Amino acid sequence: MLYAFAPCGFTCILLLTEACRQTSSPENVQNKVQANEEEERLNRELELTTKERNELTDRLLYVTGGSMSKSPYFRPNPFYENLKIKEKQVMSLLHNLDTKNIEHREKFQELKKEINFYRNLHSRLLMDQACMKKKLVTLKQECKELQRYLFELNPNAEDEQEKTSNLQTQQNVVGTSS
């Protein structure tokens, strides 16, 4: 027995199964062929009614604005209602995660820019430091050369400085004593 749901209601189809129980004889073979043909015909009808039912369901969904709950024959299913609630919760969570993801991406991009800025600044400072070291080395060399040059010009400069400092101390002693 086959059961099928038709748009107009419930349909029951009885298949002949007694032909299968009888022994094979020329008449039985003919009955089997007829039974197979009848079964194929019923299967085609069942497929057509199923297709028609699906089309009518689609049409009903279109007419009711995509919601079966507006249908007069709709009975709410508690599992479906729970599933809808969970779907709303999951979609809300997904939306929140998407917004957080966007915020974090923006912050990450800003941090990348800052990191690049400070890397460039650090490399510039290192280059400036290397240049300053080179300049310092050259200035030290120039200073030593100038000191040598001055020493060569006045080899007795140290003696004269000592004499002038001695004279100044003597004048201070004389000035303080008088």
Side-chain angles (χ1 to χ4, degrees), residues 104-120:
H104 288 296
R105 269 195 212 144
E106 290 172 356
K107 286 181 182 178
F108 181 71
Q109 291 299 327
E110 290 174 11
L111 289 174
K112 276 175 108 177
K113 288 178 183 177
E114 254 186 81
I115 287 171
N116 286 335
F117 171 77
Y118 285 116
R119 279 185 184 157
N120 290 338

PDB file of all heavy atoms in Angstrom, residues 104-120:
ATOM      1  N   HIS A 104      38.525  45.588  15.052  1.00  0.00           N
ATOM      2  CA  HIS A 104      39.880  45.087  15.309  1.00  0.00           C
ATOM      3  C   HIS A 104      40.766  45.218  14.073  1.00  0.00           C
ATOM      4  O   HIS A 104      41.959  45.499  14.188  1.00  0.00           O
ATOM      5  CB  HIS A 104      39.845  43.634  15.797  1.00  0.00           C
ATOM      6  CG  HIS A 104      39.333  43.500  17.197  1.00  0.00           C
ATOM      7  ND1 HIS A 104      39.978  44.026  18.282  1.00  0.00           N
ATOM      8  CD2 HIS A 104      38.222  42.915  17.693  1.00  0.00           C
ATOM      9  CE1 HIS A 104      39.300  43.769  19.378  1.00  0.00           C
ATOM     10  NE2 HIS A 104      38.218  43.087  19.044  1.00  0.00           N
ATOM     11  N   ARG A 105      40.200  45.022  12.907  1.00  0.00           N
ATOM     12  CA  ARG A 105      40.978  45.205  11.681  1.00  0.00           C
ATOM     13  C   ARG A 105      41.444  46.649  11.548  1.00  0.00           C
ATOM     14  O   ARG A 105      42.588  46.911  11.175  1.00  0.00           O
ATOM     15  CB  ARG A 105      40.137  44.841  10.453  1.00  0.00           C
ATOM     16  CG  ARG A 105      40.270  43.419  10.050  1.00  0.00           C
ATOM     17  CD  ARG A 105      39.720  43.218   8.644  1.00  0.00           C
ATOM     18  NE  ARG A 105      39.158  41.888   8.561  1.00  0.00           N
ATOM     19  CZ  ARG A 105      38.101  41.557   7.884  1.00  0.00           C
ATOM     20  NH1 ARG A 105      37.446  42.470   7.198  1.00  0.00           N
ATOM     21  NH2 ARG A 105      37.661  40.332   7.866  1.00  0.00           N
ATOM     22  N   GLU A 106      40.512  47.584  11.835  1.00  0.00           N
ATOM     23  CA  GLU A 106      40.875  48.998  11.747  1.00  0.00           C
ATOM     24  C   GLU A 106      41.976  49.341  12.753  1.00  0.00           C
ATOM     25  O   GLU A 106      42.940  50.026  12.415  1.00  0.00           O
ATOM     26  CB  GLU A 106      39.642  49.869  11.987  1.00  0.00           C
ATOM     27  CG  GLU A 106      38.639  49.807  10.857  1.00  0.00           C
ATOM     28  CD  GLU A 106      37.335  50.516  11.191  1.00  0.00           C
ATOM     29  OE1 GLU A 106      37.173  50.989  12.340  1.00  0.00           O
ATOM     30  OE2 GLU A 106      36.475  50.597  10.301  1.00  0.00           O
ATOM     31  N   LYS A 107      41.843  48.847  13.975  1.00  0.00           N
ATOM     32  CA  LYS A 107      42.873  49.093  14.990  1.00  0.00           C
ATOM     33  C   LYS A 107      44.193  48.465  14.563  1.00  0.00           C
ATOM     34  O   LYS A 107      45.259  49.043  14.753  1.00  0.00           O
ATOM     35  CB  LYS A 107      42.443  48.529  16.346  1.00  0.00           C
ATOM     36  CG  LYS A 107      41.378  49.339  17.023  1.00  0.00           C
ATOM     37  CD  LYS A 107      41.010  48.749  18.376  1.00  0.00           C
ATOM     38  CE  LYS A 107      39.899  49.532  19.032  1.00  0.00           C
ATOM     39  NZ  LYS A 107      39.499  48.931  20.317  1.00  0.00           N
ATOM     40  N   PHE A 108      44.111  47.283  14.003  1.00  0.00           N
ATOM     41  CA  PHE A 108      45.323  46.597  13.550  1.00  0.00           C
ATOM     42  C   PHE A 108      46.021  47.403  12.458  1.00  0.00           C
ATOM     43  O   PHE A 108      47.251  47.541  12.464  1.00  0.00           O
ATOM     44  CB  PHE A 108      44.959  45.198  13.044  1.00  0.00           C
ATOM     45  CG  PHE A 108      46.126  44.389  12.580  1.00  0.00           C
ATOM     46  CD1 PHE A 108      47.056  43.892  13.473  1.00  0.00           C
ATOM     47  CD2 PHE A 108      46.301  44.118  11.225  1.00  0.00           C
ATOM     48  CE1 PHE A 108      48.126  43.153  13.040  1.00  0.00           C
ATOM     49  CE2 PHE A 108      47.370  43.385  10.786  1.00  0.00           C
ATOM     50  CZ  PHE A 108      48.286  42.892  11.699  1.00  0.00           C
ATOM     51  N   GLN A 109      45.237  47.953  11.525  1.00  0.00           N
ATOM     52  CA  GLN A 109      45.815  48.771  10.461  1.00  0.00           C
ATOM     53  C   GLN A 109      46.478  50.027  11.038  1.00  0.00           C
ATOM     54  O   GLN A 109      47.571  50.411  10.614  1.00  0.00           O
ATOM     55  CB  GLN A 109      44.746  49.175   9.433  1.00  0.00           C
ATOM     56  CG  GLN A 109      44.226  48.022   8.600  1.00  0.00           C
ATOM     57  CD  GLN A 109      45.305  47.355   7.775  1.00  0.00           C
ATOM     58  OE1 GLN A 109      46.241  47.995   7.325  1.00  0.00           O
ATOM     59  NE2 GLN A 109      45.201  46.049   7.609  1.00  0.00           N
ATOM     60  N   GLU A 110      45.811  50.650  12.017  1.00  0.00           N
ATOM     61  CA  GLU A 110      46.403  51.820  12.654  1.00  0.00           C
ATOM     62  C   GLU A 110      47.712  51.458  13.354  1.00  0.00           C
ATOM     63  O   GLU A 110      48.698  52.194  13.272  1.00  0.00           O
ATOM     64  CB  GLU A 110      45.420  52.425  13.660  1.00  0.00           C
ATOM     65  CG  GLU A 110      44.226  53.094  13.022  1.00  0.00           C
ATOM     66  CD  GLU A 110      43.206  53.557  14.056  1.00  0.00           C
ATOM     67  OE1 GLU A 110      43.524  53.553  15.259  1.00  0.00           O
ATOM     68  OE2 GLU A 110      42.093  53.911  13.648  1.00  0.00           O
ATOM     69  N   LEU A 111      47.706  50.330  14.048  1.00  0.00           N
ATOM     70  CA  LEU A 111      48.926  49.896  14.740  1.00  0.00           C
ATOM     71  C   LEU A 111      50.039  49.568  13.752  1.00  0.00           C
ATOM     72  O   LEU A 111      51.218  49.869  14.014  1.00  0.00           O
ATOM     73  CB  LEU A 111      48.627  48.688  15.632  1.00  0.00           C
ATOM     74  CG  LEU A 111      47.790  48.977  16.875  1.00  0.00           C
ATOM     75  CD1 LEU A 111      47.441  47.684  17.590  1.00  0.00           C
ATOM     76  CD2 LEU A 111      48.515  49.921  17.805  1.00  0.00           C
ATOM     77  N   LYS A 112      49.681  48.994  12.627  1.00  0.00           N
ATOM     78  CA  LYS A 112      50.694  48.724  11.596  1.00  0.00           C
ATOM     79  C   LYS A 112      51.313  50.022  11.106  1.00  0.00           C
ATOM     80  O   LYS A 112      52.529  50.118  10.925  1.00  0.00           O
ATOM     81  CB  LYS A 112      50.071  47.968  10.413  1.00  0.00           C
ATOM     82  CG  LYS A 112      49.977  46.483  10.593  1.00  0.00           C
ATOM     83  CD  LYS A 112      49.233  45.891   9.421  1.00  0.00           C
ATOM     84  CE  LYS A 112      50.136  45.126   8.521  1.00  0.00           C
ATOM     85  NZ  LYS A 112      49.411  44.482   7.415  1.00  0.00           N
ATOM     86  N   LYS A 113      50.466  51.035  10.897  1.00  0.00           N
ATOM     87  CA  LYS A 113      50.975  52.333  10.455  1.00  0.00           C
ATOM     88  C   LYS A 113      51.907  52.928  11.507  1.00  0.00           C
ATOM     89  O   LYS A 113      52.958  53.470  11.173  1.00  0.00           O
ATOM     90  CB  LYS A 113      49.826  53.295  10.176  1.00  0.00           C
ATOM     91  CG  LYS A 113      49.045  52.965   8.929  1.00  0.00           C
ATOM     92  CD  LYS A 113      47.891  53.926   8.748  1.00  0.00           C
ATOM     93  CE  LYS A 113      47.058  53.565   7.528  1.00  0.00           C
ATOM     94  NZ  LYS A 113      45.895  54.452   7.383  1.00  0.00           N
ATOM     95  N   GLU A 114      51.508  52.821  12.781  1.00  0.00           N
ATOM     96  CA  GLU A 114      52.347  53.348  13.858  1.00  0.00           C
ATOM     97  C   GLU A 114      53.674  52.604  13.920  1.00  0.00           C
ATOM     98  O   GLU A 114      54.735  53.215  14.091  1.00  0.00           O
ATOM     99  CB  GLU A 114      51.623  53.208  15.203  1.00  0.00           C
ATOM    100  CG  GLU A 114      51.109  54.508  15.735  1.00  0.00           C
ATOM    101  CD  GLU A 114      50.525  54.358  17.113  1.00  0.00           C
ATOM    102  OE1 GLU A 114      51.291  54.344  18.092  1.00  0.00           O
ATOM    103  OE2 GLU A 114      49.291  54.276  17.191  1.00  0.00           O
ATOM    104  N   ILE A 115      53.617  51.284  13.792  1.00  0.00           N
ATOM    105  CA  ILE A 115      54.847  50.482  13.830  1.00  0.00           C
ATOM    106  C   ILE A 115      55.771  50.907  12.697  1.00  0.00           C
ATOM    107  O   ILE A 115      56.978  51.094  12.901  1.00  0.00           O
ATOM    108  CB  ILE A 115      54.506  48.977  13.753  1.00  0.00           C
ATOM    109  CG1 ILE A 115      53.897  48.512  15.063  1.00  0.00           C
ATOM    110  CG2 ILE A 115      55.727  48.148  13.408  1.00  0.00           C
ATOM    111  CD1 ILE A 115      53.323  47.101  15.023  1.00  0.00           C
ATOM    112  N   ASN A 116      55.217  51.082  11.502  1.00  0.00           N
ATOM    113  CA  ASN A 116      56.036  51.509  10.366  1.00  0.00           C
ATOM    114  C   ASN A 116      56.632  52.892  10.611  1.00  0.00           C
ATOM    115  O   ASN A 116      57.802  53.134  10.294  1.00  0.00           O
ATOM    116  CB  ASN A 116      55.219  51.503   9.073  1.00  0.00           C
ATOM    117  CG  ASN A 116      54.955  50.112   8.572  1.00  0.00           C
ATOM    118  OD1 ASN A 116      55.700  49.185   8.870  1.00  0.00           O
ATOM    119  ND2 ASN A 116      53.881  49.942   7.832  1.00  0.00           N
ATOM    120  N   PHE A 117      55.822  53.794  11.192  1.00  0.00           N
ATOM    121  CA  PHE A 117      56.329  55.126  11.486  1.00  0.00           C
ATOM    122  C   PHE A 117      57.507  55.060  12.449  1.00  0.00           C
ATOM    123  O   PHE A 117      58.556  55.668  12.222  1.00  0.00           O
ATOM    124  CB  PHE A 117      55.216  55.992  12.082  1.00  0.00           C
ATOM    125  CG  PHE A 117      55.703  57.309  12.600  1.00  0.00           C
ATOM    126  CD1 PHE A 117      55.998  58.341  11.728  1.00  0.00           C
ATOM    127  CD2 PHE A 117      55.864  57.509  13.967  1.00  0.00           C
ATOM    128  CE1 PHE A 117      56.451  59.553  12.206  1.00  0.00           C
ATOM    129  CE2 PHE A 117      56.317  58.725  14.442  1.00  0.00           C
ATOM    130  CZ  PHE A 117      56.613  59.744  13.570  1.00  0.00           C
ATOM    131  N   TYR A 118      57.352  54.298  13.529  1.00  0.00           N
ATOM    132  CA  TYR A 118      58.428  54.217  14.515  1.00  0.00           C
ATOM    133  C   TYR A 118      59.637  53.459  13.977  1.00  0.00           C
ATOM    134  O   TYR A 118      60.781  53.775  14.341  1.00  0.00           O
ATOM    135  CB  TYR A 118      57.928  53.591  15.820  1.00  0.00           C
ATOM    136  CG  TYR A 118      57.076  54.558  16.602  1.00  0.00           C
ATOM    137  CD1 TYR A 118      55.728  54.302  16.848  1.00  0.00           C
ATOM    138  CD2 TYR A 118      57.600  55.750  17.073  1.00  0.00           C
ATOM    139  CE1 TYR A 118      54.952  55.186  17.552  1.00  0.00           C
ATOM    140  CE2 TYR A 118      56.830  56.647  17.775  1.00  0.00           C
ATOM    141  CZ  TYR A 118      55.508  56.361  18.019  1.00  0.00           C
ATOM    142  OH  TYR A 118      54.742  57.258  18.708  1.00  0.00           O
ATOM    143  N   ARG A 119      59.423  52.492  13.133  1.00  0.00           N
ATOM    144  CA  ARG A 119      60.571  51.812  12.505  1.00  0.00           C
ATOM    145  C   ARG A 119      61.355  52.792  11.637  1.00  0.00           C
ATOM    146  O   ARG A 119      62.584  52.821  11.671  1.00  0.00           O
ATOM    147  CB  ARG A 119      60.103  50.639  11.649  1.00  0.00           C
ATOM    148  CG  ARG A 119      59.819  49.392  12.424  1.00  0.00           C
ATOM    149  CD  ARG A 119      59.486  48.252  11.500  1.00  0.00           C
ATOM    150  NE  ARG A 119      59.128  47.076  12.269  1.00  0.00           N
ATOM    151  CZ  ARG A 119      58.403  46.091  11.808  1.00  0.00           C
ATOM    152  NH1 ARG A 119      57.971  46.117  10.566  1.00  0.00           N
ATOM    153  NH2 ARG A 119      58.116  45.059  12.563  1.00  0.00           N
ATOM    154  N   ASN A 120      60.616  53.561  10.836  1.00  0.00           N
ATOM    155  CA  ASN A 120      61.284  54.557   9.992  1.00  0.00           C
ATOM    156  C   ASN A 120      62.005  55.596  10.836  1.00  0.00           C
ATOM    157  O   ASN A 120      63.135  55.992  10.523  1.00  0.00           O
ATOM    158  CB  ASN A 120      60.269  55.242   9.075  1.00  0.00           C
ATOM    159  CG  ASN A 120      59.744  54.323   8.002  1.00  0.00           C
ATOM    160  OD1 ASN A 120      60.381  53.332   7.664  1.00  0.00           O
ATOM    161  ND2 ASN A 120      58.570  54.637   7.487  1.00  0.00           N
TER     162      ASN A 120
END
